[in-house]
Amino acid sequence: MIVGVPKEIYPGERRVALTPVVVPMLAKAGLEVAIEAGAGTEAGYPDAQYQEKGAKVLPDRAAVFAQCDVVVQVLCHGANDKNGASDLALMRRGQLLVGFMRPLGSAEAVQQLAQTGVTAFAVELMPRTTRAQSMDALSSMASIAGYKAVLIVADTLPRIFPMMTTAAGTIAPSRVLVIGVGVAGLQAIATAKRLGAVISAYDVRPAVKEQVQSLGARFVELPLETQDAQDARGYAKAQDEAFYAKQRELLGRVVAENDAVITTAVVPGKKAPVLVTADMVKGMAPGSVILDLAAERGGNCELTQPGETVVQHGVTLIGRINLAAGVPHHASQMYARNLTSFLTNLVKDGKMRSAESDDIIRDTLLTQGGEVVNARVRESLGMPALAVASG
Ligand code: NAD
């Protein structure tokens, strides 16, 4: 089987799906690799490095789709909502496609993928089990985004992060609040800590309190009923509007005490909850910074403009999306390892294993034989359940 890597086409995307180092690992599992010329260049992986490891270099994108049995991408159609649709015409029935597809995002995009006949696997649907951990691209990219978010905030803030005692006086450390302490939030706390900030963090899941404290940050406890905050997969559950209203009221005071706020609060398949209102922004000191990692999902701050940086009430609001693309070398390294783990589990003796045989394959399988076959996705997008094949 040949695994093909086209160059990413989303504007500003510099990652690549496979790196040279995984080529021999895939070869061991019977998978050859072919890359589109220049696919890894912007992430710091020139064609020659792939060739040295035994990969083939193909002249263009069309050749990758035409010659490869499996196509792996970072942002496939769906996750690439700018120009990803241009790949639909290149996809072939029965071809395997693996990457980010934003499967709970748009029914139209998912159906378009299905109509090409590809067997598509969305990495966002990876189960959160110990066995799947090495394949969890969502977590890898969230770690990178959490780290990068802090660097952007530190660079934007008109203050320094650490306490500094100098002959010119003592400077108090910056105060940073992290709202939403999943993988990205934890990495943001760890990074801000290394830079010397004083950190507070809040999450709707009380289970994270210990993790926050073990990183040396203060856990903000709001007097809210959050017993039922987490679903079986470890994700936050959506709450009702009364809960969010109360949460905003209580969070207002905490936000005003901080110089910078990093928000990462998302609920799978739903628009991100608004946790920082315009009034809360007004209550912050001029020069404060909010970076909204949930910008792509509508944003946790009412004033966030996805993809833009704006100043409102003297506060800089950063709505940059796709932050992991800003650290393409290591983001690609991690993603390539995730995909390699996934592919070596998926393929046996040159054939795809059946979805029934493995929960990882079953959960990530999005489309097959012209249909959207993933039950969770069908339900979330309001599509009727598929009839179970009889006999
Ligand atoms: P996520 O990206 O889905 O959400 C980010 C954070 O926002 C979560 O911690 C969530 O609780 C929080 N949030 C949602 N709504 C909120 C609200 N209204 N107010 C405040 N916070 C809110 O989360 P994630 O990074 O995917 O991680 C979720 C959990 O799953 C973590 O505990 C993580 O360690 C765990 N996890 C487990 C595995 C595994 O077992 N294989 C893999 C990855 C993550």
Side-chain angles (χ1 to χ4, degrees):
M1 264 179 144
I2 307 176
V3 182
V5 184
K7 193 170 158 47
E8 294 297 310
I9 53 173
Y10 184 82
E13 181 54 73
R14 292 152 67 202
R15 288 170 291 179
V16 61
L18 295 181
T19 55
V21 76
V22 303
V23 174
M25 297 178 200
L26 289 166
K28 239 188 237 166
L31 294 160
E32 281 173 52
V33 173
I35 63 154
E36 178 182 348
T41 311
E42 286 189 68
Y45 304 104
D47 290 350
Q49 286 186 10
Y50 288 90
Q51 282 169 313
E52 271 165 33
K53 298 286 184 189
K56 224 197 237 175
V57 176
L58 296 172
D60 55 35
R61 186 171 202 83
V64 173
F65 278 90
Q67 295 180 31
C68 298
D69 310 289
V70 186
V71 173
V72 290
Q73 287 181 275
V74 183
L75 302 181
C76 302
H77 176 54
N80 175 356
D81 54 9
K82 294 276 189 294
N83 50 13
S86 61
D87 283 341
L88 292 168
L90 302 175
M91 292 172 190
R92 294 181 291 118
R93 202 171 178 79
Q95 184 168 49
L96 309 194
L97 179 73
V98 188
F100 283 94
M101 294 168 192
R102 210 177 290 163
L104 303 172
S106 136
E108 193 193 356
V110 171
Q111 267 156 344
Q112 285 170 337
L113 272 177
Q115 278 154 17
T116 66
V118 287
T119 303
F121 295 91
V123 294
E124 294 96 326
L125 298 171
M126 199 63 71
R128 297 205 136 171
T129 56
T130 308
R131 197 166 67 89
Q133 245 169 2
S134 64
M135 312 173 195
D136 185 358
L138 218 44
S139 290
S140 302
M141 297 305 112
S143 296
I144 299 267
Y147 160 84
K148 185 73 175 177
V150 171
L151 298 191
I152 295 169
V153 167
D155 192 34
T156 310
L157 204 64
R159 319 168 65 96
I160 60 169
F161 265 32
M163 184 174 114
M164 220 182 254
T165 307
T166 74
T170 299
I171 295 175
S174 291
R175 284 155 306 179
V176 177
L177 171 66
V178 175
I179 303 178
V181 194
V183 178
L186 284 172
Q187 197 55 244
I189 295 174
T191 307
K193 186 79 191 164
R194 282 181 212 124
L195 290 176
V198 171
I199 304 138
S200 313
Y202 167 69
D203 196 292
V204 74
R205 295 181 299 119
V208 303
K209 180 178 172 178
E210 263 176 49
Q211 297 168 9
V212 167
Q213 290 173 337
S214 72
L215 288 170
R218 181 174 77 94
F219 187 68
V220 176
E221 285 184 82
L222 303 181
L224 281 165
E225 191 53 55
T226 47
Q227 292 309 320
D228 194 25
Q230 188 163 323
D231 71 11
R233 286 189 298 269
Y235 285 112
K237 279 191 183 171
Q239 306 286 331
D240 61 19
E241 196 35 50
F243 175 94
Y244 288 133
K246 179 86 180 139
Q247 190 180 38
R248 286 194 288 266
E249 184 194 319
L250 295 167
L251 261 182
R253 270 167 262 154
V254 186
V255 167
E257 289 165 4
N258 283 276
D259 303 303
V261 177
I262 296 173
T263 65
T264 80
V266 294
V267 177
K270 300 248 160 38
K271 200 177 163 299
V274 171
L275 303 173
V276 181
T277 61
D279 274 347
M280 283 152 87
V281 175
K282 253 191 228 165
M284 294 184 85
S288 301
V289 175
I290 298 178
L291 189 146
D292 194 340
L293 267 179
E296 207 161 343
R297 307 271 289 277
N300 291 137
C301 175
E302 199 176 9
L303 300 180
T304 297
Q305 290 184 25
E308 309 285 332
T309 296
V310 295
V311 179
Q312 299 256 23
H313 311 298
V315 176
T316 304
L317 296 137
I318 305 170
R320 266 173 68 170
I321 51 176
N322 210 18
L323 255 59
V327 193
H329 193 80
H330 283 139
S332 303
Q333 179 181 318
M334 290 169 85
Y335 187 60
R337 289 301 285 261
N338 293 146
L339 286 186
T340 301
S341 259
F342 179 78
L343 290 171
T344 48
N345 177 63
L346 177 70
V347 177
K348 200 166 177 212
D349 302 327
K351 275 203 202 86
M352 181 189 135
R353 292 168 56 212
S354 86
E356 289 78 46
S357 65
D358 184 294
D359 65 326
I360 294 174
I361 302 174
R362 184 193 61 223
D363 286 8
T364 52
L365 180 62
L366 178 63
T367 73
Q368 190 170 33
E371 293 261 33
V372 177
V373 293
N374 190 289
R376 179 178 160 210
V377 170
R378 289 190 75 93
E379 192 190 330
S380 172
L381 296 177
M383 298 161 71
L386 277 182
V388 181
S390 57

